Amino acid sequence: MAQTMRAVDIEGGKGPVSALHIADVPKPQPTKTQALIKVKAFGLNRMDLLQREGYYPVPPQAPKILGVEFSGTIESFGNGQQEYNEGGKEGTLKVGDEVFGLAYGGAYAEYIAVSTHMLVHKPKELSWEQCAGIPETWITATQAMYLVSKFESGKSILWHAGASSVSIAGIQLSVADNASAVFATARQDEKCEFAVKTLGAKAAFNTQKQNWAEEILKATDGKGVDIIVDFIGGGPTFLQNLDAIARDGVIVNLGLLGGSKVPGEFDMSVFLRKRCTFVGSSLRSRDEEYQGKLRDQLVEHALPKFKDGSFKLIIDKVLPWEKVQEAHQLLEENKTKGKVICTID
């Protein structure tokens, strides 16, 4: 068996889009709790852009190759067996099985070694491309809603960046689990319309044209929303979140696309007056046990709805992996609605 494979590499270890290229690299060797997957497709995420530029704190167990979500077929197991009987709640995994999953890194490659506990059998109803765009985004949304903010039926929720992949998942989860109201923000009218008409949000607000916090208060009769899931972080968004959050509400911060600094003077008394909670969270730095629980929740809660079409898996663009530079550029331009996927022949 060949000891090398092709993978997307970064010239100089970090750099701009132009630094991405396909090179021959050592083929990963799975440990006794891992499977080796022949990758069919992989999903792109904004963390990939940051990692490419050297700004993302990669967990120590992650390979240097980009990418955390993929679909493909099981090539082998680290223990040398043909079957693995601890593949989570879906039962036995076998060589040749079609799967998708979440990894700490390494998905931009012909092969990836990944924990068997993070694999899910690919439903026949879904394509390789659809499955490659599920793990990171839907598990992140699940984590933010249920584990971090403690969402329950009857609570209201706001998803920033409403046409981003995580919010596309989160809005649908919120609607399906009977939120009292689901709101979104975006920076384009087209994306706001998409969040309402396609995903089922009650209303969406253009942050470039409206004071969205004031609109939220109007829409909730002055109460505000119980949960805010935010990827923007700094800039005016932080302060507006505090205006829009309801008493005893939870603000979940998942990213800092707007920077890490709060402008002007910040009065912390709002936390006391509103008894609200601000919590930062991430997924990639979590241990395998934590991620495995989320994987099980995805299988139990969302997978049936993927199969019957109740949940929409929105893909904006599919490109061959030879065009990975173009794929990164699409994400950087902030014009996509849904996932960008690369396929490997």
Side-chain angles (χ1 to χ4, degrees):
M1 183 178 293
Q3 298 302 306
T4 62
M5 66 174 182
R6 293 185 301 159
V8 176
D9 200 4
I10 307 170
E11 186 176 357
K14 62 180 180 180
V17 168
S18 59
L20 295 173
H21 65 283
I22 296 176
D24 289 330
V25 302
K27 188 176 181 179
Q29 300 299 315
T31 68
K32 64 180 181 180
T33 61
Q34 291 181 325
L36 183 68
I37 310 300
K38 184 174 176 58
V39 177
K40 290 281 191 179
F42 58 84
L44 276 67
N45 294 281
R46 292 199 175 275
M47 76 174 81
D48 302 344
L49 310 185
L50 295 172
Q51 184 178 338
R52 188 199 74 219
E53 295 176 343
Y55 296 134
Y56 191 92
V58 179
Q61 66 270 52
K64 70 173 185 176
I65 297 170
L66 300 172
V68 298
E69 57 184 354
F70 60 89
S71 60
T73 57
I74 297 178
E75 186 89 352
S76 64
F77 295 103
N79 57 16
Q81 297 177 201
Q82 291 297 302
E83 294 186 0
Y84 195 86
N85 296 317
E86 296 179 9
K89 295 189 177 181
E90 283 208 293
T92 300
L93 294 166
K94 303 184 299 297
V95 169
D97 278 357
E98 299 179 345
V99 294
F100 63 95
L102 183 68
Y104 287 108
Y108 286 27
E110 290 181 314
Y111 294 91
I112 184 172
V114 63
S115 167
T116 56
H117 299 294
M118 295 310 299
L119 295 175
V120 180
H121 282 106
K122 173 187 171 296
K124 66 180 186 301
E125 296 89 348
L126 303 181
S127 68
W128 293 112
E129 293 83 358
Q130 287 175 312
C131 288
I134 290 173
E136 169 66 18
T137 49
W138 284 82
I139 289 178
T140 296
T142 297
Q143 176 197 25
M145 278 184 64
Y146 304 107
L147 269 67
V148 181
S149 70
K150 311 298 183 186
F151 173 86
E152 296 175 345
S153 176
K155 288 188 175 182
S156 57
I157 188 167
L158 163 68
W159 293 86
H160 283 302
S164 68
S165 297
V166 174
S167 288
I168 286 172
I171 291 169
Q172 294 183 82
L173 286 167
S174 304
V175 172
D177 280 1
N178 301 308
S180 61
V182 183
F183 301 101
T185 68
R187 296 196 295 176
Q188 299 170 25
D189 289 340
E190 180 187 2
K191 290 184 176 182
C192 290
E193 184 177 345
F194 168 78
V196 174
K197 293 187 177 180
T198 301
L199 303 179
K202 179 179 180 179
F205 309 107
N206 187 328
T207 59
Q208 304 302 296
K209 295 181 178 181
Q210 299 167 283
N211 184 320
W212 62 266
E214 289 184 358
E215 296 299 325
I216 286 289
L217 292 173
K218 290 178 185 176
T220 58
D221 296 324
K223 176 190 173 184
V225 285
D226 298 311
I227 298 167
I228 296 175
V229 183
D230 179 26
F231 313 89
I232 314 302
T237 305
F238 178 83
L239 299 176
Q240 288 179 295
N241 282 341
L242 294 175
D243 289 338
I245 196 68
R247 183 169 289 175
D248 297 314
V250 180
I251 302 168
V252 182
N253 180 255
L254 300 178
L256 297 170
L257 295 176
S260 60
K261 305 295 184 182
V262 178
E265 295 184 1
F266 166 51
D267 183 358
M268 288 188 64
S269 67
V270 64
F271 285 102
L272 300 178
R273 288 187 283 106
K274 290 200 170 184
R275 302 193 300 263
C276 62
T277 301
F278 179 93
V279 55
S281 188
S282 63
L283 177 61
R284 194 175 183 183
S285 61
R286 304 284 189 171
D287 62 34
E288 187 179 305
E289 181 181 0
Y290 181 97
Q291 291 191 2
K293 290 177 180 177
L294 286 167
R295 172 249 181 231
D296 289 345
Q297 191 165 353
L298 176 78
V299 169
E300 294 169 3
H301 187 66
L303 194 62
K305 292 182 171 62
F306 295 146
K307 292 179 179 179
D308 68 17
S310 300
F311 281 163
K312 299 177 177 66
L313 299 171
I314 309 294
I315 297 176
D316 190 278
K317 191 80 170 179
V318 176
L319 293 166
W321 75 321
E322 291 86 356
K323 293 186 178 181
V324 66
Q325 290 187 7
E326 182 180 336
H328 270 232
Q329 287 172 339
L330 284 170
L331 260 64
E332 290 184 343
E333 291 170 356
N334 292 317
K335 294 179 180 179
T336 57
K337 295 192 295 293
K339 296 295 295 189
V340 176
I341 304 292
C342 284
T343 57
I344 300 177
D345 290 333

